[in-house]
């Protein structure tokens, strides 16, 4: 699962199969409105005829392509200027730290403000820093500080944009079409991940415009994403809508207002909200509510920790592959092509989604993560770009199915009133170790041979997966009804 899970936030842009009802509609019932309109016309409109979905899909694809292109182009630029793998890894580390810092607040922001507005503003900011980078490159003033600032802005925008995209999707797609929307999203996500590395390597190799082509492309891609966010038309909410209550919400007596005795000595109720309402207000205002809900379930905790462990080790794998191929004399364009072929395994793995229900979720997740150990180790064998591409191809085969698995087990089960914070918490927890993984890999590559670094990463996967793999509740877990 190298690279892609952390890059895409660890959460899919869509709902799980058969996710109907209030649990999939999210805080807004836009999907239900679309479904009612389809029923009124006598036949359901397909996703191809859902103009809002296609606009959102185009913008999300453009944004993902910009991120995956920058993940290769920026480190190659730094590596060419400094000859230091550690400094090249610093870009990914800063990007990961910024995404981590924005993770939990992203859920609260999207629960409080219109997700479409959040998405448009986020992508505009990312396009803005790209424009500044282009200007600096054209004028010969490109600096390490500016490149790291760009990393911070791109990373900070990731959880904000992904959470907003997911919430907008649930408002413009009816529940019965969420499965098809998810499959299209996997094509978009993995297609961008496949094309981005090759494009980043090719654009970096263009000597014209002071090597500004990668920055120019990512700027245009983020700008397109911002434009499409503005073009999406959100369905109107019902005029007499009743807010969805928090399920199984236990009132906190400590938050209840004190009762004041009246003149007769009998307690008179204070003029304040009831305990349950106080607790509900606290949940709505608490940015950690999603993380507490997620970490409070043993199966979800074990599954998330397992993905976190593999994601931490995989965060710097792409840089390690770039360095080992560069040491073998492979041109930048061929390196990008090899990485693109490796990412193609995620597209091929979309077919595994249909087999999910035939295997227990914990078994599928555990086996897929365990397979990463020998694959990481085999990358240490220097047998050229196509050997590395083949191993990466196999390593990412299970990513689409794992995204759908986590969507069904986590996002679909989340209370609607805090779904944005649950999504953000899931992405944040999965990306928690990415900065450490990127920085650690850079330091390894700086001080030890690349083969030793890759073997160390394989050992880190084995060690980090130990907790999740030893949780019996994960192996026994079954699919929710």
């Amino acid at each position: 699962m190298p690279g892609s899970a952390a890059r895409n936030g660890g959460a899919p842009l869509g709902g799980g199969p058969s996710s109907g009802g209030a649990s999939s509609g999210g805080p807004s019932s836009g999907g239900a409105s679309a479904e009612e309109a389809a029923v009124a016309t006598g036949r359901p409109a397909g996703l191809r005829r859902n103009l809002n979905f296609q606009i959102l899909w185009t913008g999300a694809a453009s944004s993902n392509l910009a991120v995956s292109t920058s993940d290769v182009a920026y480190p190659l630029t730094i590596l060419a200027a400094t000859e230091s793998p550690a400094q090249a890894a610093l870009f990914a580390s800063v990007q990961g730290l910024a995404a981590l810092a924005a993770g939990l607040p992203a859920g609260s922001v999207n629960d409080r403000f219109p997700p479409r507005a959040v998405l448009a503003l986020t992508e505009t900011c990312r396009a803005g820093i790209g424009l500044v980078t282009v200007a600096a490159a054209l004028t010969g003033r490109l600096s390490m500080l500016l490149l790291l600032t760009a990393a911070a802005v791109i990373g900070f925008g990731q959880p904000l944009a992904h959470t907003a995209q997911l919430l907008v999707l649930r408002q413009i797609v009816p529940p019965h079409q969420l499965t098809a929307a998810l499959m299209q999203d996997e094509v978009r996500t993995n297609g961008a991940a496949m094309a981005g590395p090759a494009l980043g390597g090719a654009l970096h190799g263009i000597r014209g415009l002071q090597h500004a082509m990668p920055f120019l492309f990512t700027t245009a891609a983020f700008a397109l994403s911002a434009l499409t966010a503005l073009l999406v038309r959100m369905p109107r909410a019902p005029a007499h809508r009743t807010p969805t209550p928090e399920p199984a919400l236990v009132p906190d007596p400590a938050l209840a207002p004190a009762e004041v005795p009246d003149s007769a000595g009998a307690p008179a109720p204070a003029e304040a909200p009831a305990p349950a309402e106080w607790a509900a207000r606290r949940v709505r205002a608490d940015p950690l509510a999603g993380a507490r809900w997620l970490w409070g379930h043993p199966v979800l905790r074990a599954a998330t920790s397992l993905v976190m462990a593999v994601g931490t080790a995989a965060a710097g794998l792409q840089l390690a592959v770039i360095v080992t191929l560069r040491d073998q004399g492979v041109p930048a364009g061929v390196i990008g092509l090899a990485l693109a072929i490796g990412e193609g395994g995620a597209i091929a793995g979309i077919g595994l989604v249909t087999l999910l229900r035939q295997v227990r979720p914990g078994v599928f997740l555990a086996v897929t993560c365990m397979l990463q150990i020998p694959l990481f180790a085999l990358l240490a064998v220097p047998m050229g770009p196509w050997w590395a591409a083949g191993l990466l191809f196999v390593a990412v085969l299970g990513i689409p199915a794992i995204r759908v698995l986590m969507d069904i087990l986590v996002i679909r089960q989340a209370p609607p009133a805090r779904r944005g914070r649950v999504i953000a918490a899931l992405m944040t927890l999965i990306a928690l170790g990415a900065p450490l993984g990127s920085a650690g890999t850079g330091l390894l590559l700086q001080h030890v041979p690349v083969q030793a670094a890759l073997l160390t990463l394989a050992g880190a996967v084995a060690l980090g997966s130990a907790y999740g793999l030893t949780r019996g509740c994960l192996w026994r877990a079954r699919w929710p009804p």
Side-chain angles (χ1 to χ4, degrees):
M1 309 180 332
S4 298
R7 179 167 57 248
N8 294 309
L13 178 61
S18 65
S19 50
S23 65
S24 66
S28 175
S29 61
S33 299
E35 188 177 19
E36 290 168 5
V39 172
T41 61
R43 60 178 181 178
L47 284 175
R48 291 184 180 179
R49 297 171 59 188
N50 187 333
L51 181 60
N52 285 321
F53 171 74
Q54 296 302 333
I55 292 174
L56 179 67
W57 189 94
T58 301
S62 179
S63 179
N64 271 26
L65 186 59
V67 173
S68 60
T69 300
S70 66
D71 285 347
V72 172
Y74 277 78
L76 281 175
T77 300
I78 296 173
L79 199 59
T82 65
E83 294 292 328
S84 170
Q87 292 192 47
L90 196 58
F91 178 87
S93 297
V94 171
Q95 187 177 358
L97 284 171
L100 191 60
L104 294 179
S108 296
V109 169
N110 278 284
D111 278 343
R112 177 169 298 204
F113 299 102
R116 187 184 69 156
V118 174
L119 177 59
L121 181 59
T122 299
E123 298 299 61
T124 299
C125 291
R126 297 207 281 188
I129 190 63
L131 194 60
V132 173
T133 307
V134 170
L138 292 177
T139 57
R141 298 180 179 179
L142 198 61
S143 65
M144 189 69 179
L145 177 61
L146 178 58
L147 292 174
L148 294 182
T149 301
V153 175
I154 293 173
F156 196 87
Q158 276 298 89
L160 285 165
H162 274 278
T163 304
Q165 287 166 356
L166 193 149
L167 293 175
V168 170
L169 179 79
R170 289 179 179 272
Q171 296 183 49
I172 63 176
V173 173
H176 69 279
Q177 291 182 342
L178 283 175
T179 299
L182 178 59
M183 297 300 291
Q184 283 201 30
D185 178 66
E186 284 300 319
V187 175
R188 183 263 302 172
T189 298
N190 297 305
M194 180 179 179
L199 190 58
L203 291 174
H204 174 75
I206 297 177
R207 297 183 179 276
L209 298 178
Q210 301 294 323
H211 293 282
M213 285 302 296
F215 314 125
L216 186 62
F217 174 81
T218 56
T219 299
F222 283 131
L224 176 60
S225 179
L227 177 62
T228 56
L230 295 174
L231 293 176
V232 172
R233 296 180 60 186
M234 302 299 291
R236 294 182 180 179
H240 303 288
R241 183 160 166 205
T242 302
T244 304
E246 282 284 337
L249 185 62
V250 180
D252 187 347
L255 295 176
E259 293 184 341
V260 181
D262 59 15
S263 57
E271 293 183 0
E277 185 177 347
W278 274 81
R281 287 183 182 179
R282 176 180 145 187
V283 168
R284 287 193 295 269
D286 185 6
L288 298 177
R292 289 195 183 98
W293 179 88
L294 177 63
W295 212 248
H297 292 69
V299 174
L300 303 186
R301 181 170 63 246
T304 304
S305 64
L306 187 56
V307 177
M308 284 173 58
V310 178
T312 299
L317 186 63
Q318 185 168 267
L319 177 62
V321 172
I322 291 175
V323 172
T324 187
L325 293 180
R326 189 169 175 269
D327 288 349
Q328 297 174 49
V330 179
V334 178
I335 292 176
L337 182 59
L339 293 174
I341 292 174
E343 294 286 358
I347 294 181
I350 292 175
L352 294 177
V353 174
T354 59
L355 304 177
L356 269 180
R357 291 282 183 173
Q358 301 179 26
V359 184
R360 289 187 179 185
V363 173
F364 182 90
L365 180 62
V367 171
T368 303
C369 291
M370 285 192 297
L371 284 176
Q372 306 303 312
I373 301 171
L375 291 172
F376 277 44
L378 287 172
L379 281 169
V381 181
M383 293 181 62
W386 315 126
W387 167 258
L391 292 173
L392 291 174
F393 186 94
V394 176
V396 301
L397 276 173
I399 285 180
I402 287 180
R403 288 200 187 116
V404 175
L405 182 151
M406 296 300 287
D407 183 89
I408 296 174
L409 289 184
V410 180
I411 299 176
R412 194 181 74 173
Q413 309 304 316
R418 66 176 94 172
R419 180 167 285 132
R421 280 163 291 174
V422 170
I423 294 168
L426 178 63
M427 295 192 310
T428 301
L429 289 171
I430 290 177
L432 194 61
L436 177 62
S438 298
T441 302
L443 290 174
L444 282 172
L445 294 171
Q446 185 78 17
H447 299 290
V448 302
V450 64
Q451 288 78 17
L454 285 166
L455 291 175
T456 302
L457 290 179
V461 173
L463 184 62
S465 302
Y467 172 80
L469 294 176
T470 55
R471 302 299 98 183
C473 61
L474 180 65
W475 292 91
R476 296 189 300 271
R478 298 184 179 274
W479 294 105

